[in-house]
């Protein structure tokens, strides 16, 4: 297993290009199952999760060609010749559950493995299943698989009430509703930019959708969808992650393609902590106003609140802030696994349940640390950028799921960082 070695090297300067969003691409790709016509995605990120979704769609009979060094995904689901998503692929990536809605809507039946949990939580899919049942699906759980079917051969429009704004359940229901007979109303829907991006793509394919980006989405089902070409929206989590690099070790960095509207709550928090963020022609320019960051309190919430996917990275910043910060993680039940690793670097963090209290220290000290999940891994790299000495982050396969060319992007702004191949 490879590791990444980071050595604190002072202020950064330069530009970092931001890629297409992993979490948009992972819901846009299954949308190909809704149509016999080709669906082409541009600005796709080059990530292992995208390769996993490619393999999954391929196992169902879809063709996915990766062009232009992986930035273009040309997909065609003219023939779906297998209706079962196997456990051995689904267990590697929870987003695999997103083939269920489209496959059921297009084919009238689907068998998808339950994804199982992951490091950050149990992550059930009950809301996905209830949403599809509200559209007339019949579901049976057997041997760890969901066997879904539509007795009438087609989903029927209905009203779906989400008890809380689940991103994936909203995406599954939205895709399924595009081909249902009649009108579907999603109440309490998630509002993330990735859902708006999916709706934009589905409308290009001929879907009739209103209200995406709000908590009520209305879909008029159609008989069939066409193909389309669609650019994947900028990755706001990669954007926020790299915005924290100059915040944690000084200097000034411009994030190409960055937009404040994708991260308004996060930008407000950084402003409160003493970080200056300016929208430029090319993206976002970021630098801290003074030598040290002010402590701030953070509570993660569904969009438009502070993103849970930036909580670990923000914690790394607050480890060297002046004062005490309190972080509340309200979305996942076990998303502080980066805390003990940051404490190996000299951080002072007290974790109780969903609350982490961080008392800032003057400097962190480089140390060998272990990545435990995708966002925790990059939090440790951020801490290493600011630490005295050398930090070795092991198990970087977690990182490869969600960040393309991390070493190249950070080297490009002056970081001392290298990837060490496993012996
Ligand atoms: C998406 O996961 C993202 N993944 C996650 O990003 C992100 O953290 C999450 O949304 C929240 O923003 C992708 O888009 C591929 P949820 P998802 O359904 O859809 C519970 C990353 O680092 N829940 O909004 O799985 C669930 O357990 C990843 O890129 C149910 O109880 O998130 C969690 O506690 C990590 N029943 C909470 O809701 C359900 O049926 C939020 O989950 C579904 C979810």
């Amino acid at each position: 297993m490879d590791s990444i070695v980071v050595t604190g090297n002072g202020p950064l300067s330069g530009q970092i290009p931001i890629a297409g969003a992993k979490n948009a691409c992972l819901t846009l790709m299954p949308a190909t199952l809704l149509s016999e016509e080709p669906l082409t995605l541009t600005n796709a990120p080059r990530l292992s999760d995208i390769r996993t979704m490619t393999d999954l769609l391929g196992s169902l009979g879809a063709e996915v060609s990766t062009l232009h060094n992986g930035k273009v995904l040309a997909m065609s689901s003219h023939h779906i010749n297998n209706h079962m998503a196997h456990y051995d692929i689904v267990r590697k990536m929870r987003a695999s559950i997103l083939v269920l809605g489209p496959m059921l809507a297009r084919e009238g039946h689907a068998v998808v493995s339950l994804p199982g949990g992951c490091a950050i939580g149990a992550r059930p899919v009950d809301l996905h299943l209830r949403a599809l049942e509200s559209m007339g699906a019949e579901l049976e759980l057997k041997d760890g698989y969901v066997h879904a079917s539509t007795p009438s051969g087609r989903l029927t429009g209905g009203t779906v009430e989400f008890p809380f704004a689940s991103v994936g359940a909203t995406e599954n229901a939205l895709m399924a509703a595009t081909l249902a007979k009649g009108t579907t109303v999603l109440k309490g829907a998630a509002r993330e930019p990735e859902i708006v991006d999916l709706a934009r793509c589905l409308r290009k394919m001929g879907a009739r959708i209103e209200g995406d980006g709000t908590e009520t989405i209305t879909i008029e089902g159609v008989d069939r969808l066409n193909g389309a070409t669609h650019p994947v929206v900028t990755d706001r989590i990669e954007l926020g992650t790299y915005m924290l690099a100059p915040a944690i070790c000084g200097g000034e960095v411009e994030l190409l393609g960055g937009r404040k509207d994708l991260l308004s709550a996060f930008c407000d928090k950084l402003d409160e902590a003493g970080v200056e963020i300016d929208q430029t022609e090319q993206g976002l320019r970021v630098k801290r106003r003074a030598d040290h960051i002010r402590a701030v309190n953070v509570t993660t919430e569904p969009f438009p609140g502070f993103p849970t996917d930036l909580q670990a990275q923000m914690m790394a910043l607050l480890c060297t802030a002046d004062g005490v910060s309190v972080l509340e993680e309200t979305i996942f039940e076990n998303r502080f696994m980066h805390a003990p690793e940051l404490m190996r670097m000299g951080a002072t963090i007290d974790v109780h349940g969903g609350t982490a209290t961080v008392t800032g220290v003057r400097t962190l000290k480089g140390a060998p640390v272990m990545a435990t999940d995708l966002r925790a891994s990059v939090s440790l790299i951020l801490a290493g950028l600011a630490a005295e000495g050398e930090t070795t982050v092991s198990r970087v396969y977690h990182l490869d799921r969600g960040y393309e060319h991390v070493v190249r992007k950070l080297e490009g702004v002056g970081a001392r960082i290298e990837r060490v191949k496993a012996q």
Side-chain angles (χ1 to χ4, degrees):
M1 285 184 266
D2 292 4
S3 55
I4 285 184
V5 181
V6 193
T7 306
N9 191 35
L12 303 175
S13 79
Q15 298 179 323
I16 297 179
I18 302 301
K22 166 180 83 82
N23 291 348
C25 203
L26 288 176
T27 190
L28 288 164
M29 291 176 76
T32 184
L33 298 171
L34 291 166
S35 169
E36 293 184 3
E37 308 297 323
L39 173 62
T40 299
L41 300 177
T42 60
N43 194 37
R46 282 68 62 93
L47 303 167
S48 59
D49 270 9
I50 304 305
R51 290 190 287 277
T52 302
M53 183 60 82
T54 298
D55 294 345
L56 174 58
L57 292 172
S59 75
L60 304 175
E63 290 157 24
V64 182
S65 309
T66 53
L67 313 169
H68 300 284
N69 188 23
K71 286 202 80 163
V72 173
L73 300 172
M75 302 179 290
S76 168
S77 301
H78 194 66
H79 290 296
I80 296 177
N81 52 28
N82 167 32
H83 297 83
M84 175 180 270
H86 279 282
Y87 176 59
D88 55 354
I89 295 185
V90 175
R91 69 178 170 78
K92 278 198 289 188
M93 186 183 64
R94 287 182 35 74
S96 307
I97 193 71
L98 294 173
V99 303
L100 176 59
M103 192 150 54
L104 185 59
R106 162 95 179 276
E107 299 285 290
H109 60 100
V111 180
V112 177
S113 168
L114 284 170
C118 75
I120 63 177
R123 305 194 65 188
V125 291
D126 53 317
L127 300 184
H128 298 240
L129 305 183
R130 277 168 40 193
L132 295 173
E133 283 177 325
S134 305
M135 290 188 242
E138 283 188 7
L139 306 176
E140 186 192 352
L141 298 191
K142 203 164 63 178
D143 311 326
Y145 283 78
V146 178
H147 294 252
S149 61
T150 53
S152 67
R154 186 175 179 188
L155 291 170
T156 51
T159 296
V160 180
E161 311 245 2
F162 291 113
F164 61 84
S166 158
V167 172
T170 300
E171 291 164 344
N172 238 333
L174 174 56
M175 288 190 281
T178 58
L179 291 178
K181 184 174 174 51
T183 302
T184 300
V185 180
L186 308 182
K187 293 183 172 175
R191 301 167 53 191
E192 273 68 5
E194 293 74 36
I195 288 167
V196 173
D197 199 39
L198 173 63
R200 284 197 180 122
C201 178
L202 293 169
R203 274 193 287 266
K204 286 181 187 173
M205 296 169 72
R208 295 197 198 127
I209 302 167
E210 288 181 357
D212 47 291
T214 76
E215 58 190 21
T216 304
I217 305 177
T218 304
I219 305 102
E220 297 294 335
V222 295
D223 293 340
R224 63 186 300 281
L225 290 175
N226 312 311
T229 296
H230 181 76
V232 178
V233 69
T234 301
D235 192 322
R236 62 194 168 97
I237 305 304
E238 187 193 27
L239 171 62
T241 301
Y242 287 124
M243 287 170 72
L244 288 166
I248 203 166
C249 54
E252 178 175 303
V253 173
E254 185 175 31
L255 292 315
L256 304 180
R259 292 176 11 215
K260 270 190 178 180
D261 66 297
L262 293 171
L263 281 174
S264 48
F266 176 76
C267 289
D268 291 347
K269 263 305 153 192
L270 281 191
D271 179 61
E272 186 186 335
V275 178
E276 191 171 309
I277 304 165
D278 296 305
Q279 183 75 57
T280 68
E281 289 279 302
Q282 299 188 85
L284 293 181
R285 188 174 51 230
V286 179
K287 64 180 179 184
R288 61 187 185 196
R289 293 193 188 94
D291 257 359
H292 259 79
I293 290 297
R294 288 194 293 271
V296 292
N297 295 331
V298 172
T299 300
T300 63
E301 294 173 306
F303 192 86
F306 189 101
T308 175
D309 292 351
L310 284 169
Q311 175 261 108
Q313 300 91 312
M314 189 70 177
M315 186 185 285
L317 175 68
L318 296 174
C319 287
T320 59
D322 286 341
V324 178
S325 306
V326 177
L327 292 97
E328 299 279 354
E329 173 53 64
T330 70
I331 306 293
F332 290 105
E333 64 266 32
N334 185 33
R335 204 170 196 177
F336 286 139
M337 287 175 292
H338 40 286
E341 300 303 312
L342 290 167
M343 289 164 76
R344 286 179 49 76
M345 299 175 71
T348 306
I349 308 170
D350 191 25
V351 174
H352 282 289
T355 302
T357 303
V358 180
T359 304
V361 296
R362 289 303 294 166
T363 55
L364 296 172
K365 301 273 189 291
V369 290
M370 185 178 75
T372 50
D373 59 87
L374 167 57
R375 306 304 175 180
S377 55
V378 78
S379 154
L380 300 172
I381 287 181
L382 288 170
L385 290 176
E388 279 175 3
E390 192 175 274
T391 298
T392 302
V393 182
S394 60
R395 302 192 178 185
V396 292
Y397 58 84
H398 288 292
L399 202 66
D400 296 335
R401 297 190 53 178
Y403 290 90
E404 63 171 43
H405 307 313
V406 173
V407 171
R408 186 195 307 172
K409 290 187 176 186
L410 286 173
E411 261 182 340
V413 291
R416 267 181 67 188
I417 181 170
E418 62 171 329
R419 184 170 185 132
V420 177
K421 287 279 172 220
Q423 301 307 328

